[in-house]
C-alpha cells in the first residue's frame, strides 16, 4: 500500500471510526494540532449531518428515542454503516437491520419493524414517477385475467410485522389513533401489515389485510391478475379495486409481456 493510500485509509478511520490514536496512525504530521482539530471538526460535522439526515428519514424513531439517545444511535450507525453515496438522503437503508441488532434497542423490539416502515415511506417520496392511465382499465374486461396485470403506484411496499407499526406511526404523525390506543395495541402484541405507496407527491401509509398483502405481493412479483387472485385467498377484487384506484394505489392495467409469469 502506498503512503497516500495509508493516509487516505487513516483519514477515513479517523472520520468514521472511533476517535483514538489508532485512528490517526498513518497520517502525516500526527503532532500537527491544527490538522487534528480540523479532523475533529470534520468528524463532528459528520455526526451532526448523520443525525439530521436520519431524523428526517425516521422522524418517529427520533421522537421515541429522544434527541440525545437518537444522536448517539446515529453516531453508532454512522461508524458502522458510513454513507456510500454522494446524496445523504439515500443513506439509511441498513438502519432497520442495525436497529434490530442494537443492544441499545433490545428492550424495544418493535422499533426495527417501525424503522422498516419509515424507510419505505422515505423511499416512496423519491420513487420514480408514474402517470395514471384510466383508459387502460378496459383491459380488465377485454382480456383474460392471466393476460393482464395492474400498474401500481410508485413506492409500493408491503411490510408485515408482529407489532402495531402502522398504529404507532400514525399516532405520532397524525394523532389517529391516539397514543394511548397505540400503546394498548403494542402491549397486546397486535400484529399489523403496513402498506406504503405514493399518492401524487405524498407518501401514504395504511394497514393491509392479509389477502390484500398477498395480492399486492404477487402483482409486485410480476404475476398476472389471475395468479395474483389465486394467491390472495378471500380478496373481493371488485370491491377492492375502486378505492385502490381512488387512492392512486393502482394507476392502470397493462398486458403481460412475453416471458412474464402469467
Amino acid at each position: 500500500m502506498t503512503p497516500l493510500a495509508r493516509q487516505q485509509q487513516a483519514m477515513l478511520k479517523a472520520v468514521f471510526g472511533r476517535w483514538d490514536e489508532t485512528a490517526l496512525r498513518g497520517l502525516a504530521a500526527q503532532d500537527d494540532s491544527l490538522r487534528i482539530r480540523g479532523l475533529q471538526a470534520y468528524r463532528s460535522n459528520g455526526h451532526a449531518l448523520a443525525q439530521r439526515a436520519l431524523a428526517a428519514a425516521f422522524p418517529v424513531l427520533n421522537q421515541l428515542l429522544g434527541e440525545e439517545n437518537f444522536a448517539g444511535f446515529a453516531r453508532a450507525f454512522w461508524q458502522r454503516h458510513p454513507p456510500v453515496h454522494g446524496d445523504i438522503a439515500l443513506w439509511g437503508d441498513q438502519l432497520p437491520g442495525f436497529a434490530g441488532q442494537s443492544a441499545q434497542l433490545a428492550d424495544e423490539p418493535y422499533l426495527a419493524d417501525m424503522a422498516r416502515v419509515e424507510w419505505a415511506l422515505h423511499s416512496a417520496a423519491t420513487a420514480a414517477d408514474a402517470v395514471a392511465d384510466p383508459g387502460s382499465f378496459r383491459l380488465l374486461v377485454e382480456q383474460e385475467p392471466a393476460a393482464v396485470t395492474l400498474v401500481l403506484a410508485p413506492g409500493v411496499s408491503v411490510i408485515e410485522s408482529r407489532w402495531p407499526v402502522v398504529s404507532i406511526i400514525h399516532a405520532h404523525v397524525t394523532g389517529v389513533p391516539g397514543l394511548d390506543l397505540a400503546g394498548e395495541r403494542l402491549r397486546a402484541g397486535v400484529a399489523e401489515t403496513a402498506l406504503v405507496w405514493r399518492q401524487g407527491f405524498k407518501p401514504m401509509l395504511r394497514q393491509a389485510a392479509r389477502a390484500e398483502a398477498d395480492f399486492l405481493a404477487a402483482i409486485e412479483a410480476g404475476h398476472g391478475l389471475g395468479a395474483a387472485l389465486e394467491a390472495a385467498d378471500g380478496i373481493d377484487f371488485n370491491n377492492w379495486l375502486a378505492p385502490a384506484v381512488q387512492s392512486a394505489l393502482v394507476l392502470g392495467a397493462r398486458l403481460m409481456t412475453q416471458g412474464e409469469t402469467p
Side-chain angles (χ1 to χ4, degrees), residues 7-8 14 26 42-43 64 77 81 98 106 134 143 154-155 165-166 169 182 194 199 212 217 234-235 258 262:
Q7 289 180 359
Q8 289 173 335
Y42 190 84
R43 178 185 176 88
L64 289 171
F77 182 68
H81 300 286
F98 181 76
Q143 302 289 331
V165 288
V166 178
I169 291 175
Q199 184 184 80
E212 180 184 30
I235 192 170
Q258 188 175 5

Side-chain angles (χ1 to χ4, degrees), residues 47-262:
H47 288 167
L49 176 63
Q51 183 179 356
R52 291 196 301 271
L54 295 180
F58 303 93
V60 178
L61 182 62
N62 182 33
Q63 290 181 43
L64 289 171
L65 292 184
E67 184 174 352
E68 183 176 350
N69 289 332
F70 188 81
F73 183 73
R75 285 195 299 271
F77 182 68
W78 169 271
Q79 292 167 0
R80 182 69 63 85
H81 300 286
V84 295
H85 302 285
D87 186 353
I88 195 68
L90 300 177
W91 176 61
D93 61 311
Q94 298 183 77
L95 186 140
F98 181 76
Q101 299 173 356
S102 171
Q104 177 186 352
L105 306 183
D107 293 336
E108 308 291 347
Y110 69 94
L111 292 178
D113 279 1
M114 195 194 70
R116 290 172 61 205
V117 178
E118 288 207 276
W119 182 253
L121 287 164
H122 180 72
S123 300
T126 56
D129 292 336
V131 179
D133 183 9
S136 65
F137 288 113
R138 70 180 187 279
L139 294 172
L140 299 179
V141 295
E142 295 175 352
Q143 302 289 331
E144 294 295 324
V148 65
T149 189
L150 298 179
V151 178
L152 301 180
V156 169
S157 183
V158 177
I159 301 167
E160 297 183 26
S161 176
R162 296 169 47 210
W163 313 101
V165 288
V166 178
S167 295
I168 293 170
I169 291 175
H170 276 317
H172 285 269
V173 175
T174 70
V176 181
L179 291 173
D180 290 343
L181 180 54
E184 289 177 10
R185 292 175 180 174
L186 178 61
R187 289 187 292 273
V190 175
E192 292 180 356
T193 297
L195 172 58
V196 172
W197 76 102
R198 196 177 78 211
Q199 184 184 80
F201 296 106
K202 182 180 180 181
M204 304 295 292
L205 170 65
R206 67 168 173 81
Q207 290 188 53
R210 174 73 269 165
E212 180 184 30
D214 291 340
F215 176 75
L216 291 173
I219 294 294
E220 280 284 277
H223 293 291
L225 182 59
L229 290 171
E230 290 180 4
D233 183 31
I235 192 170
D236 186 335
F237 180 72
N238 291 330
N239 286 333
W240 173 85
L241 183 60
V245 172
Q246 291 169 359
S247 65
L249 172 61
V250 175
L251 301 181
R254 66 172 179 84
L255 290 172
M256 298 288 287
T257 59
Q258 188 175 5
E260 286 187 304
T261 304

Side-chain angles (χ1 to χ4, degrees), residues 11 14-15 19 21 24 27-46:
M11 177 171 285
V15 172
W19 184 264
E21 290 302 319
L24 300 176
L27 285 173
Q30 292 183 27
D31 58 346
D32 186 337
S33 60
L34 181 61
R35 179 175 302 212
I36 292 177
R37 287 199 301 271
L39 280 173
Q40 288 174 322
Y42 190 84
R43 178 185 176 88
S44 297
N45 290 338

